[in-house]
Amino acid sequence: METNGIAVDYDSFGDSHDEAILLVSGLGAQRIRWTDAFCTALATHGFRVIRFDNRDTGLSTHLSDHPVPDFAALAAAAAAGKRLEVPYTLHDMAADAIGLLDALSIDKVHVVGRSMGGMIAQLMASTYPERVLSLTSIMSSTGNPALPQAAPDVMALLMKPAPRPADDEAGFLAHSVAFAKRIAGSAHPFDEDAHRGIVREEVRRAHDPAGFARQIAAIAATGDLRVRNATIRAPTLVIHGEDDALIPPACGEDTAASIEGAHLKRVAGMGHDLPASLHADVIDAIVRLARRGRVDDKAEDFA
């Protein structure tokens, strides 16, 4: 689908005439991280569920004509209070999502974003309020610079260059598994086989470390969302794991505090992942919020 000057790869589950839920992926993650099982289960509640590849991931347009960002230069510019020169920001990625809805002739949508996708979803709700019926932000943040950062070893794993899968598939998979295990929650078993399978599929679809770096730069250049979040009036749910070592729980608390009337669902034992054992609980919360968006006759308790 061509929109906003790029090609956006998407698919959908459920009846095309049902009310839509748009799933927004996280940093470097392809749409298939929202698994078929999750999407199918969500669609059984009477929704058309749409997932898509963000720019620079999967089968959507990769901005390969732009160089890998110089993070030292970006950090220096940020420290000096200068505007960061980057190929795009999360505002552009939010516009991509809205453009996809336009192309699909969808006027309004329930938007659900995870990690970086949660920030994109927040921007959709604040910038295009007439298009968003409800907002669910999962394991995400506002970009508030005062918030705690990822654990040092987690950040080191995130930024450590991985072997090229074409040269060393086993090493690449071991690198990915090590990171995923580190950020997984304590109360839910980590499914290494499932993780390896989805990472292999992502490599088959498109492997682009430069695109991952451009997305990091986009997050940095977008900055603090709290002022914008204060304008959000869509019913909002914030879901955050108490074991999240990549985006600490305080970030979810800050997101909920920045949006009037937002409900915060803290999940014990959940890390920076969405294992199959949590699907039913998370889907139930999304559906309850979406139905409240249609019939706003009582407050729901998601705590």
Side-chain angles (χ1 to χ4, degrees):
M1 184 73 69
E2 295 284 338
T3 183
N4 200 29
I6 66 169
V8 176
D9 184 76
Y10 79 97
D11 62 0
S12 66
F13 299 75
D15 191 322
S16 62
H17 296 97
D18 286 341
E19 201 165 63
I21 294 178
L22 184 71
L23 303 177
V24 191
S25 299
L27 173 64
Q30 301 184 29
R31 61 175 170 82
I32 58 175
R33 290 288 177 121
W34 295 105
T35 64
D36 288 0
F38 182 90
C39 296
T40 299
L42 184 54
T44 63
H45 290 272
F47 295 96
R48 179 186 185 184
V49 178
I50 303 164
R51 61 181 182 178
F52 68 102
D53 286 328
N54 287 313
R55 58 170 67 195
D56 265 332
T57 59
L59 302 183
S60 291
T61 295
H62 291 242
L63 282 74
S64 302
D65 53 333
H66 292 276
V68 176
D70 182 336
F71 290 110
L74 290 176
K82 296 180 180 178
R83 182 176 180 272
L84 304 188
E85 296 297 330
V86 296
Y88 55 86
T89 70
L90 298 187
H91 294 276
D92 298 295
M93 299 178 79
D96 293 345
I98 293 295
L100 175 61
L101 297 179
D102 290 341
L104 295 175
S105 299
I106 296 174
D107 184 42
K108 298 178 185 292
V109 72
H110 301 281
V111 61
V112 179
R114 59 196 289 180
S115 198
M116 178 190 73
M119 299 181 77
I120 294 171
Q122 292 168 48
L123 282 170
M124 291 176 67
S126 64
T127 309
Y128 310 93
E130 73 284 358
R131 308 298 296 274
V132 175
L133 291 166
S134 72
L135 163 66
T136 302
S137 179
I138 305 173
M139 50 186 156
S140 191
S141 183
T142 61
N144 175 358
L147 288 169
Q149 302 301 303
D153 67 309
V154 170
M155 187 55 67
L157 281 170
L158 177 68
M159 301 306 293
K160 180 182 178 181
R164 291 181 69 247
D167 299 332
D168 181 7
E169 182 183 79
F172 176 80
L173 289 173
H175 176 276
S176 180
V177 166
F179 180 68
K181 277 186 173 179
R182 175 62 183 88
I183 63 174
S186 61
H188 304 274
F190 176 71
D191 190 335
E192 185 171 326
D193 288 340
H195 180 78
R196 285 176 178 271
I198 205 163
V199 170
R200 282 195 181 99
E201 178 64 12
E202 286 184 329
V203 169
R204 186 195 66 79
R205 297 179 84 237
H207 176 63
D208 187 3
F212 176 85
R214 286 188 290 269
Q215 289 189 351
I216 291 177
I219 295 171
T222 301
D224 194 335
L225 302 182
R226 287 176 298 164
V227 171
R228 288 180 171 275
N229 282 0
T231 70
I232 293 174
R233 294 296 176 263
T236 298
L237 168 64
V238 176
I239 300 175
H240 215 102
E242 294 181 353
D243 286 358
D244 197 328
L246 181 62
I247 301 180
C251 299
E253 295 168 5
D254 193 58
T255 302
S258 71
I259 301 172
E260 184 178 346
H263 295 269
L264 175 63
K265 180 180 177 70
R266 300 176 181 87
V267 185
M270 175 182 170
H272 198 79
D273 60 349
L274 193 56
S277 53
L278 276 174
H279 284 185
D281 183 55
V282 171
I283 287 170
D284 178 68
I286 292 169
V287 169
R288 289 169 64 195
L289 182 74
R291 288 176 175 161
R292 176 187 164 202
R294 286 202 296 263
V295 183
D296 194 12
D297 57 351
K298 65 176 181 177
E300 297 281 6
D301 179 14
F302 294 101

